[in-house]
Amino acid sequence: MEEEAGEEPGLGRPTAPKDFHFYHMDLYDSEDRLQLFPEESSRIKREVAQAELTNELRGAGQSKSLQKEVDELVHLYGLEDDHELGDEFVDEHRLGSLGYPSYGMMKRDRGLSGEAAGAEDLHYGGQGLPGQCQDLREAYRYTHGRASEEYECYVIPEEEDEEEPADVFCVSCKTPVRTVEKDFEIHKEHEVTPLSKALESAKDEIHKNMCKLEQQIIEMENFASHLEEVFITVEENFGRQEQNFESHYNEILETLAQKYEEKIQALGEKKKEKLEALYGQLVNCGENLDACRELMETIEEMCHEEKVEFLKDAVAMTDRLGKFLKTKTDVELSAQPEFEDQTLDFSDVEQLMDSINTVPAPSAPVINPQVPNSATGSSVRVCWSLYSDDTVESYQLSYRPVRDSSPGKDQAEFTRMVKETYCSVTNLEPNTQYEFWVIAQNRTGSSPSSEHAVYMTAPSPPTIKSEAVRSCEEAALICWESGNLNPVDSYTVELIQAETPEASGVTESVVGIPTCESLIQLQPGHSYTIYVRALNVGGTSARSEPVTVHTIGSYFHLNKDSCHPWLTISEDGFTVVRSEKKMSRRELPHSKTQFTRCVAVIGNLIPVRGRHYWEVEVDERLDYTIGVACEDVPKHEDLGANCLSWCMRHTFASSRHRYEFLHNRTTPDVRITVAPKKIGILLDYANSKLSFFNVDIAQHLYTFSCQLHQFVHPCFSLEKSGSLKIHNGISMPKHVTLF
């Protein structure tokens, strides 16, 4: 307190007189505050207080007097150069000089409240007088108001601490909490998780339920469409039956009046029974659809809420979704569209019946074109329509496969009998075109055939070629076989991260791929499960068998088509072996893709311009060449003997190791003292560098600076019998990443 009232340490300011004191002030002037002011108020305080009381009489003259007194105090305590210490320090001393604590002094005074209890040392002996206390309050109001504008003495109210947001989530209580609050003790034994992780978990759960909800909406919409078709079919059939009987009974008048009324009543009851059952089921289906859409809209609104509010609502919404999804939806028809034959026994009026006109045969139906995505790999849904004034009892649907773009020639035909104006035809071949036609029938006869329409089944699932999959940290190249005899329209690649539950659905989809391969951009350091689907006008195939891709390092296979006949590639595809048996070079076949002079093989590296790293295990006494080469490197030349290859070559003779770094038949003078047993190779497209490392001792061997205008691939050569073991799909060691 003495340092604060007097000289600041290290600032070289004079110390205030001993009789100059700082007193605690209540900035809010509470009337209940205990009056603890010393009796010996300074002359400056009395004059300032009196200046406030007589302000109206003195006016502006008093302000000048006060300014003069303040200037005298500033000069007395050497505060003319306080601008070097900042406005805050100057304002503190100016207010302190007038006997009123600044905001910074008040904070220090509050921090030293324990010392303030010793009122004897600080002159808080309770000798203050009420009149002096009131004068000081008035003086404070004056200086805080008008004088503070003149002397730039601003008292900034202390900001209230904002409530810290929740930072963890209690799994047991399912609520966000703060770790600093006192109530956290009740969650101490509970399972807690970071708020971000809880948010992601809640999002995943909501996403999972949304996928289920979307699937249920699709099923309900399809079922509702089916119900509508059945409803219309039943209504049309019964309507035609009514018209038929009505036209018959109107001709027989009194003789058939009684039977007419009985039959119409029976038909009406049957019709009412079936239509009410179907209508009630259609209404229930509509209500379920409305509930599903309402839940979807609620979930979309939740996604725009703040994290905490989202988590609170997500818990209730998850329970609500769980209960709703557990509710079983009736998707079975409550009434079948078939109707009983209503033929009457007119034996007693046979003569009259002979005079009645018969029902005419129906007109030819109109078969509808195929609806996109309405087929599977083994079934299609065929629909048709007919003229409204025709009476139809059944339909005969015929179909046959289309071969060699010649519809209807020498192909087996199949027939189905149905009551409705649609039919799902099963047991078909995938990705195959079928032509369909339909005939309407009633008791009088059959209609002419409809026009022929071509429908197509969905494709078979493709087959991913796992041995051709290549990847790096940023991408993967996926190749597959179509699995279909006929061409398909396109392919879709589906990605699921290994860290994402499969039930949560597809992480990402790449659509509209025209060929049987795709280069896909991925995130580094993840594992992906990849599927492929084929698409045509009929629909989408089932998923292919999955393949797993890791984006940890560069992963590639050796190109067996480029392998020299003297080399053998192991079953796992990562070991190259040269046996002692040799063939005459005259016997070697000439090929543009296969090495014929250099006993080498090339790898298939993914065509991505990034950083690629792999390692090769070698024998110290083995003659080998490793590096990179362009795909069109001459196969009748040695590696490193042209401008399309960059290689490290090792030869061992007379217990001496010789290392060369060859490009276009030139090599620098490089001495390697420690023979490497495992060599790391770093291909850096961005910096146009190819580097070699001794992995065991983390030693850099040599770096090529090369302009790589086209993609290059790893290459491996053995000059003598032995083997090379390749390690790829691995992360870069620390000494390589820092290089």
Side-chain angles (χ1 to χ4, degrees), residues 29-44:
D29 293 337
S30 173
E31 297 295 337
D32 298 331
R33 182 176 179 89
L34 185 63
Q35 306 296 329
L36 297 175
F37 293 92
E39 294 181 357
E40 58 275 16
S41 300
S42 64
R43 176 181 58 85
I44 298 172

Side-chain angles (χ1 to χ4, degrees), residues 242-296:
E242 290 176 1
Q243 294 175 5
N244 184 29
F245 283 114
E246 185 177 358
S247 64
H248 281 71
Y249 284 114
N250 284 338
E251 296 293 333
I252 304 179
L253 300 175
E254 297 178 359
T255 307
L256 301 178
Q258 184 177 0
K259 291 185 178 181
Y260 169 78
E261 293 295 334
E262 293 175 355
K263 184 55 64 175
I264 288 297
Q265 184 178 0
L267 283 173
E269 291 176 355
K270 192 66 176 178
K271 173 185 175 182
K272 180 179 179 181
E273 179 185 351
K274 286 195 173 186
L275 291 181
E276 285 181 350
L278 291 172
Y279 182 79
Q281 195 169 9
L282 186 61
V283 170
N284 291 335
C285 181
E287 292 175 351
N288 286 337
L289 281 174
D290 292 339
C292 291
R293 292 191 180 97
E294 181 185 355
L295 288 174
M296 288 292 292

Side-chain angles (χ1 to χ4, degrees), residues 240-241 244 247-248 341 343 356-363 389-394 439-448:
R240 293 189 185 94
Q241 282 292 97
N244 184 29
S247 64
H248 281 71
D341 188 2
T343 304
I356 298 176
N357 294 328
T358 58
V359 177
S363 302
D389 57 350
D390 286 341
T391 299
V392 178
E393 297 177 359
S394 63
I439 297 174
Q441 298 175 336
N442 62 15
R443 71 186 59 172
T444 303
S446 301
S447 72

Side-chain angles (χ1 to χ4, degrees), residues 509-528:
S509 294
V510 182
V511 300
I513 303 172
T515 61
C516 288
E517 69 174 29
S518 178
L519 183 63
I520 306 168
Q521 299 298 320
L522 302 175
Q523 296 295 326
H526 291 281
S527 295
Y528 293 86

